Amino acid sequence: MAAYSPQGMQMLPPGVKNLLIINVLMFVAAFVVQRSLGIDLNDSLALYAVQSSQFRPWQYITYMFMHGSFDHILFNMFALWMFGYVLENYWGTVRFVIFYMVCGVGAGLVHTLITGIDVHIAQQAVNNYAVNPNPDAMMALLDSRFARLYNPSAVADFLSQWRASAESSDYGMLSVQLMQQMVDFKASVPTVGASGAVYGILLAFGMMFPNEQIYLYFLVPIKAKWFVIGYGAIELFLGIFHSADGIAHFAHLGGMLFGLILILMWRRQRRM
């Protein structure tokens, strides 16, 4: 952790403290409501693609207070405290909370933009495929647009049966339905977590205290600026080449992007 320690620094200032409390309360509430009433709060509070029937505008705020697992919330809350209390003491509570919320909402906007484009392209590909469905085109579409979303052995069996019954149109219609289900699945995967806001906090720490030491894995010292640049580069690489790993990498980058824009705006206002 950075050695920055001004006079009167609070280890748990009000902004960080209340954000921690809200996140933990929402995590517990989601667990209790699911177990006792069978209601999944993610259905209305997680963030969905704009093409999904479950998308609601308020999800840009609520999604960042929902988490999918104990490990998920533990990592985010630890990072929020680790970097957030320094920034809140440096900026003040109001500016810190504004920054946190802007980064979280910005992360959601970037994520839905990227997801929306992906779903739109996939839908157009399925529409084109539906004009002339055939086994070769189906396999090409699966590999290009729906990698990791299908069972290779099940698809191989389906294609084998289709080729053995080439005169039947039923397999063509079934294949179109299968492709459409995969498009719908892409649009129906919810996004939860404070990671986008936390990545914005991480970027801000690197910009405010670029030469402070952060101990990677609590062992390896690295300057904050290189730590931030490294994390950003990793997220960009994973977002481009491993977008189907179930992690919203572009949401993380979105949080960093909106954080950067806001900091530059504040610096410009201060100079003026």
Side-chain angles (χ1 to χ4, degrees), residues 22 30 47 54 56 58 69 80 82 92 102 118 124 129 140 145 150 159 163 166 179 187 199 204 213 240-241 244 246:
I22 293 171
L47 180 61
Q54 292 178 274
R56 300 292 184 274
W58 64 73
S69 66
L80 169 59
M82 181 177 179
V102 167
D118 185 36
Q124 291 299 112
Y129 168 78
R145 299 303 319 169
Y150 68 93
L159 292 178
R163 289 190 174 98
M179 298 296 101
Y199 269 77
Q213 296 285 349
I240 294 174
F241 298 105

Side-chain angles (χ1 to χ4, degrees), residues 40-55:
D40 189 353
L41 293 182
N42 287 324
D43 289 344
S44 57
L45 301 182
L47 180 61
Y48 288 85
V50 292
Q51 292 94 334
S52 171
S53 61
Q54 292 178 274
F55 171 77

